[in-house]
Amino acid sequence: MVFYFTSAVVSPSYTIYMGKDKYENEDLIKYGWPEDIWFHVDKLSSAHVYLRLPKGQTINDIPPEVLIDCAQLVKNNSIQGCKMNNINVVYTPWANLKKTGDMDVGQIGFHRQKEVKIVAVEKKINEIVNRLEKTKEERFPDLVAEKESRDQEERNEKKAQLQEQKKREKEEQKRKKELEELKNYSSLMKSENMKTNEDGYDSDDFM
């Protein structure tokens, strides 16, 4: 089971999701998308919360209001963190998550520590948590099929872009060839005109 939330503090809204437990988290880690940003309370046990960004956006494009929503949701879903003030929430792109065979269920590391960001959370803000909880939906998604569909769509887009690039290159080559031919033709015509003028008949020849 996966819990989905909607952050509508900006338009268009953003989708936030998290697994029911650490076993669900394993699947989310495995079948995340490149557009996903992972959130977790720093140095404490908490839910693994993901923010799905629109294509083309990066971690630096997250609106501040949405970032606060994610941080509050993570804090609220931490047994220890929800009772504490002044905690830190770490977040990083899904692609930066590192999972090795010797790690416990739900445990995660990072490929590059420099890509991990931190947002400080002073205290729980009930208004934010309650607003997000009202949008909560429980689903049983086919994570494998969704990931494959997303990847297939990306492959199709790249294929279309490559075809378009080849088309433009072909048209550019054709245009250059036509210009070259026109240039050669103009030079030829100019040369022929010069010959005609040099070999032209003088009117005295007819007298």
Side-chain angles (χ1 to χ4, degrees), residues 128-140:
I128 293 178
V129 173
N130 292 338
R131 168 170 53 77
L132 290 171
E133 285 292 335
K134 288 178 181 178
T135 71
K136 184 177 179 179
E137 291 183 30
E138 297 181 7
R139 303 181 202 166
F140 296 86

Side-chain angles (χ1 to χ4, degrees), residues 43-105:
K43 297 181 175 64
L44 295 174
S45 175
S46 78
H48 291 212
V49 172
Y50 292 82
L51 171 67
R52 180 150 294 169
L53 298 177
K55 278 190 175 182
Q57 287 193 3
T58 70
I59 193 170
N60 297 318
D61 298 318
I62 301 175
E65 303 90 340
V66 177
L67 184 63
I68 292 173
D69 276 7
C70 293
Q72 283 290 326
L73 191 60
V74 176
K75 173 179 168 55
N76 191 58
N77 285 276
S78 170
I79 295 175
Q80 294 173 277
C82 69
K83 303 171 186 175
M84 300 168 59
N85 289 335
N86 299 309
I87 65 165
N88 287 330
V89 170
V90 293
Y91 62 109
T92 194
W94 166 80
N96 191 37
L97 299 181
K98 180 181 180 182
K99 182 72 178 181
T100 57
D102 59 342
M103 289 181 173
D104 293 335
V105 175

Side-chain angles (χ1 to χ4, degrees), residues 100-116:
T100 57
D102 59 342
M103 289 181 173
D104 293 335
V105 175
Q107 188 179 3
I108 205 71
F110 307 113
H111 291 291
R112 296 166 295 279
Q113 188 64 39
K114 65 179 182 180
E115 291 185 18
V116 180

